[in-house]
């Protein structure tokens, strides 16, 4: 599909599959991720059974990098506007990994009529201290940052090469130091227990036995 404009941003969007009675939206992780992590794994098999929509989050992958607009509510509205632009007017099934899972939860809470179900893979949950912790992690520099990138993607096919790690490091550096991303995430309000307990749709949360966010999952 290519490029879709929403909220003044040019988003990189891919749509897979043919006509179906279901739409599945895949949401990727933060900073060192993009839609390819789903495109080359679960999205194409899912497209045999449903209409699939993937997109690069604001400032990620091939989507335009804006100077601001990286709070969780802003990115929730990005998704709502993208669905409108793509003429998806029925409730969607949201599949998100890491930050993408947090975004799926936030979308369901903000737009309950538009969320049919959630699948959360190693999803972060926005609780007290989450914003400050994310800010600290994203502000890593130099060898410490590069080591984190290498560790994060050591099992990802195609992302083990030094060239790919350098590309990811440059993209991360641009997001962290040339936009309001860190400040925006730090300012994002945590989910309330009442809100999480009132999720408007079924949710399946999947965590690995050794996940580093297992104790803070849904």
């Amino acid at each position: 599909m290519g490029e879709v404009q929403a909220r003044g941003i040019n988003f990189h969007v891919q749509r897979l599959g043919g006509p179906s009675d279901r739409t599945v939206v895949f949401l990727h992780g933060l900073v060192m991720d993009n839609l390819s992590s789903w495109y080359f794994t679960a999205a194409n098999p899912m497209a045999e059974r449903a209409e699939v929509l993937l997109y690069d989050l604001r400032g990620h992958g091939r989507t335009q990098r804006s100077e601001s607009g990286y709070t969780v509510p802003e990115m929730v509205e990005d998704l709502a506007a993208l669905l409108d632009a793509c003429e998806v007017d029925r409730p969607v099934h949201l599949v998100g990994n890491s930050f993408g899972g947090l975004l799926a939860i936030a979308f369901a809470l903000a737009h309950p009529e538009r969320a049919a179900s959630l699948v959360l893979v190693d999803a972060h949950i926005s609780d007290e201290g989450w914003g400050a912790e994310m800010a600290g992690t994203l502000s890593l520099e130099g060898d410490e940052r590069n080591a984190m990138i290498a560790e994060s993607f050591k099992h990802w096919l195609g992302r083990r090469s030094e060239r790919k790690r350098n590309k990811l490091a440059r993209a991360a550096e641009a997001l962290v130091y040339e936009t309001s991303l860190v400040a925006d995430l730090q300012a994002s309000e945590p989910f309330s227990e009442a809100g999480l307990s009132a999720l408007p749709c079924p949710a399946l949360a999947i965590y690995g036995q050794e996940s580093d966010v297992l104790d803070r999952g849904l």
Side-chain angles (χ1 to χ4, degrees), residues 76-177:
V76 163
E77 294 314 307
D78 285 347
L79 174 53
L82 267 177
L83 293 176
D84 290 341
C86 294
E87 299 182 343
V88 178
D89 55 7
R90 61 188 170 193
V92 297
H93 301 271
L94 298 162
V95 182
N97 68 292
S98 190
F99 178 80
L102 183 153
L103 188 57
I105 295 169
F107 182 85
L109 293 175
H111 297 280
E113 76 287 353
R114 304 192 77 167
S117 71
L118 308 179
V119 176
L120 313 172
V121 182
D122 237 24
H124 290 285
I125 300 300
S126 177
D127 54 10
E128 289 292 342
W130 172 82
E133 183 177 316
M134 287 297 295
T137 300
L138 294 175
S139 297
L140 294 176
E141 298 185 22
D143 292 341
E144 193 175 10
R145 178 196 61 207
N146 295 339
M148 183 184 71
I149 293 170
E151 177 65 22
S152 298
F153 293 106
K154 66 182 180 181
H155 299 303
W156 288 46
L157 184 64
R159 296 192 181 188
R160 298 184 223 177
S161 70
E162 184 176 355
R163 181 188 65 82
K164 179 61 72 173
R165 289 198 300 269
N166 288 340
K167 184 177 180 181
L168 288 165
R170 288 193 298 270
E173 186 174 3
L175 261 176
V176 169
Y177 296 110

Side-chain angles (χ1 to χ4, degrees), residues 190-218:
F191 296 140
S192 68
E193 286 192 23
L196 289 174
S197 65
L199 271 173
C201 59
L204 172 64
I206 303 170
Y207 294 89
Q209 185 175 353
E210 298 182 8
S211 168
D212 59 359
V213 295
L214 181 60
D215 61 341
R216 301 176 69 178
L218 186 65

Side-chain angles (χ1 to χ4, degrees), residues 1-15 23-28 35 51-60 62-64 69 73-90 92 94 103 107 111 114:
M1 186 172 183
E3 192 173 276
V4 174
Q5 188 172 85
R7 304 186 73 226
I9 299 292
N10 294 323
F11 286 89
H12 175 218
V13 176
Q14 294 292 326
R15 294 185 82 165
T23 299
V24 179
V25 178
F26 286 89
L27 302 168
H28 66 76
L35 67 77
E51 177 188 38
V52 167
L53 188 148
L54 311 96
Y55 72 102
D56 287 332
L57 300 178
R58 174 185 293 252
H60 293 69
R62 297 181 181 178
T63 288
Q64 181 181 345
E74 290 271 22
M75 288 196 272
V76 163
E77 294 314 307
D78 285 347
L79 174 53
L82 267 177
L83 293 176
D84 290 341
C86 294
E87 299 182 343
V88 178
D89 55 7
R90 61 188 170 193
V92 297
L94 298 162
L103 188 57
F107 182 85
H111 297 280
R114 304 192 77 167

Side-chain angles (χ1 to χ4, degrees), residues 34-46:
N34 55 55
L35 67 77
S36 67
S37 60
W38 285 119
Y39 184 90
F40 291 110
T41 54
N44 278 281
M46 179 58 68

